[in-house]
Amino acid sequence: MGSTNPFKDQSFSLSKKLLPWILYSLLPLALLRFYYYPVPFLLYPENELPHSSPITVTSTSPLPSVTHFSSLSEKEQTLETPCDYFNGKWIRDRRGPLYNGTTCSTIKEGQNCMTHGRPDSDYLYWRWKPSQCNLPRFEPQTFLQLIKNKHVAFVGDSMARNQLESLLCMLATASTPNLVYRNGEDNKFRRWHFDSWNASVSVYWSPFLVQGVEKSNPGPNHNKLYLDHVDERWARDLDEMDLIVLSIGHWFLHPAVYYEGDSVFGCHYCPGLNHTEIGFYDVLKKALRTTLNGIIDRRGGKGNSIDVIVTTFSPAHFEGEWDKAGACPKTKPYRNMEKQLEGMDDDMRNIEIKEVEDAKAKAKKIGGVKLEALDITKLALLRPDGHPGNYMYPFPFANGVPERVQNDCVHWCLPGPIDTWNEIFLELVKKLEQQPRTEN
């Protein structure tokens, strides 16, 4: 029989007595750790995003220290993953929109799908989730603070107006916009004022951004575009604008004759006219270049700086020809790989992105003008369910199913997917605020 080791027995006995005390001392430390660093999946339901995630923006330079970054070291701020809002997917979001069809008074009649009797509401409960970051929910107070004592102008076609009206509805949840000016057919030139913030938001109808003459029933069945002159209907107010949002695209698909100087250099779909047929891609490029160069030339290098954002092309979703009973009957978003960005939608978007990048390079040399692209083309492409469709008019099936119902598969319901554009818009405004004027 071997002898026992008294030191081993004493050590085991001591360990056995100390073990409960060690466990009791570790428990408070563990609780403190979970209090200050909670596990995300315990706090947020599946597919629902936290509100207070760090803001990440597309930038190659470190961001200055601000409230949202107070918990991050300078090194961590520099290494923060840039947010590519273009790539992502739509996920379900039980919270829904900030407003509805009756709480906002500035919704254009044709986009008020809820009050027009659209029977489904699932299209309201989706949220855009970028692939590598989170898109914060829109904060109206934050936006109003950023535009305090400023004038924000939306310039372009009806998509510019659609985005503007979405923004007004979101801001109205915090402060009432007062209409202080309106002019033109269908009130195409309007301005609102937020008294508490001394902030103005305007819309300027200019479907080409450059000087143009729109086709009319008694006149020619084509538009006229003067591609070397900006449209002075908005440009004459350029000196009083602090932030300008440009949006064009769909009107370039219509028949048109193009001028440079006083001479015609081509046309698009103009049978019967002795002009050279040219594609509208080059015309879109020229119009946007003239516009951005015009802004830089007029405002660059001066004391009164300006920020410029270009909203990229928003695809339509007609199934069939738009003027031959084409409709957009889908009630859910496309899955991420179900629909690819290609063809005209991709080409239009690429032209706009390139022109913004070229304008950035020019503006950087001069100073005073900062530019960004609000790249919404892909996220809009994946939302065939977000258009008014049949419900551009009130209760289209109240008296049965008519032989023909007009559909709107270009513009967006309010509330609806277009609200997401303004969530990204807010993040871009934050980014522009952080950039120095002499560097973009």
Side-chain angles (χ1 to χ4, degrees):
M1 229 177 130
S3 60
T4 60
N5 187 335
F7 296 103
K8 183 177 180 181
D9 292 342
Q10 291 175 13
S11 175
F12 176 78
S13 176
L14 181 61
S15 299
K16 188 174 181 181
K17 291 178 180 179
L18 289 176
L19 183 60
W21 295 103
I22 293 172
L23 292 176
Y24 290 143
S25 64
L26 289 175
L27 182 60
L29 293 175
L31 291 174
L32 283 172
R33 191 268 177 217
F34 282 107
Y35 179 81
Y36 287 106
Y37 304 98
V39 179
F41 67 80
L42 294 177
L43 291 181
Y44 302 104
E46 184 181 3
N47 287 342
E48 191 163 318
L49 307 178
H51 291 276
S52 57
S53 56
I55 298 171
T56 54
V57 293
T58 307
S59 176
T60 56
S61 58
L63 294 170
S65 179
V66 293
T67 304
H68 281 278
F69 292 93
S70 58
S71 62
L72 298 177
S73 69
E74 184 175 344
K75 182 177 180 181
E76 287 173 324
Q77 292 173 29
T78 304
L79 298 177
E80 186 71 41
T81 304
C83 193
D84 174 12
Y85 296 114
F86 174 70
N87 288 302
K89 62 182 179 180
W90 289 97
I91 62 174
R92 290 190 177 275
D93 181 11
R94 73 181 77 183
R95 291 171 295 185
L98 292 175
Y99 63 97
N100 62 47
T102 58
T103 61
C104 182
S105 61
T106 54
I107 300 176
K108 181 177 172 61
E109 185 70 13
Q111 277 101 61
N112 201 335
C113 306
M114 299 174 74
T115 60
H116 281 187
R118 179 169 171 169
D120 63 308
S121 61
D122 191 56
Y123 71 98
L124 299 172
Y125 297 94
W126 295 91
R127 179 166 187 76
W128 181 247
K129 174 65 175 71
S131 300
Q132 298 177 334
C133 54
N134 289 335
L135 174 61
R137 192 167 170 84
F138 188 85
E139 298 173 346
Q141 294 276 2
T142 300
F143 191 94
L144 287 165
Q145 182 62 47
L146 287 168
I147 66 168
K148 186 177 182 180
N149 300 320
K150 293 181 179 180
H151 177 200
V152 181
F154 285 77
V155 180
D157 55 19
S158 55
M159 299 310 301
R161 181 175 61 196
N162 205 176
Q163 184 182 353
L164 160 91
E165 290 169 350
S166 162
L167 179 66
L168 287 175
C169 287
M170 297 170 88
L171 295 178
T173 62
S175 181
T176 302
N178 298 310
L179 183 63
V180 294
Y181 174 81
R182 61 183 173 188
N183 190 24
E185 180 188 353
D186 198 26
N187 295 323
K188 290 180 177 178
F189 302 87
R190 289 177 290 170
R191 182 175 300 186
W192 292 263
H193 192 257
F194 293 87
D195 296 342
S196 300
W197 308 86
N198 189 31
S200 296
V201 180
S202 299
V203 61
Y204 291 80
W205 172 257
S206 183
F208 313 110
L209 297 181
V210 294
Q211 182 180 334
V213 178
E214 298 166 30
K215 63 181 180 179
S216 59
N217 290 331
N221 190 32
H222 59 263
N223 302 307
K224 294 181 181 180
L225 278 68
Y226 298 86
L227 295 170
D228 49 355
H229 297 288
V230 296
D231 183 359
E232 291 297 329
R233 291 183 300 177
W234 63 267
R236 63 172 171 248
D237 292 343
L238 194 56
D239 283 342
E240 61 182 64
M241 297 175 185
D242 300 287
L243 171 60
I244 184 169
V245 183
L246 307 173
S247 181
I248 55 170
H250 289 277
W251 273 71
F252 287 82
L253 311 182
H254 296 295
V257 176
Y258 309 126
Y259 294 79
E260 281 188 335
D262 294 325
S263 302
V264 175
F265 76 91
C267 70
H268 168 60
Y269 194 68
C270 53
L273 299 178
N274 189 24
H275 301 315
T276 303
E277 178 75 27
I278 62 175
F280 56 79
Y281 291 133
D282 285 339
V283 176
L284 173 67
K285 184 188 305 182
K286 284 177 179 287
L288 192 51
R289 184 171 300 174
T290 294
T291 300
L292 296 178
N293 284 341
I295 295 172
I296 294 169
D297 292 342
R298 296 190 190 196
R299 294 289 296 268
K302 299 181 179 179
N304 56 338
S305 56
I306 189 171
D307 295 336
V308 182
I309 289 178
V310 177
T311 303
T312 60
F313 186 72
S314 174
H317 291 95
F318 286 101
E319 296 184 9
E321 297 295 325
W322 71 271
D323 58 346
K324 297 178 182 177
C328 38
K330 288 187 170 56
T331 57
K332 293 185 183 301
Y334 288 117
R335 296 187 185 92
N336 197 31
M337 300 304 294
E338 187 179 355
K339 184 75 171 177
Q340 299 298 318
L341 180 59
E342 57 191 3
M344 185 193 73
D345 297 332
D346 191 32
D347 292 337
M348 300 284 271
R349 178 244 177 201
N350 288 337
I351 288 170
E352 292 166 335
I353 294 291
K354 185 179 186 305
E355 289 306 312
V356 170
E357 291 303 311
D358 289 347
K360 275 186 180 184
K362 177 178 179 178
K364 187 174 182 180
K365 297 175 183 177
I366 300 174
V369 180
K370 296 187 291 187
L371 302 99
E372 287 293 338
L374 176 51
D375 192 355
I376 55 83
T377 304
K378 184 177 179 181
L379 66 90
L381 176 73
L382 298 179
R383 291 304 304 271
D385 58 321
H387 302 288
N390 300 320
Y391 296 93
M392 62 183 295
Y393 297 114
F395 301 97
F397 306 112
N399 298 317
V401 180
E403 182 177 343
R404 178 188 171 103
V405 178
Q406 188 176 355
N407 282 263
D408 181 356
C409 303
V410 176
H411 303 99
W412 301 90
C413 292
L414 294 178
I418 198 168
D419 296 331
T420 299
W421 305 7
N422 288 318
E423 290 182 326
I424 301 174
F425 179 33
L426 172 54
E427 299 308 302
L428 292 184
V429 174
K430 292 177 185 176
K431 175 184 176 180
L432 291 170
E433 283 289 311
Q434 294 162 359
Q435 292 177 351
R437 283 286 157 195
T438 55
E439 179 182 345
N440 211 15

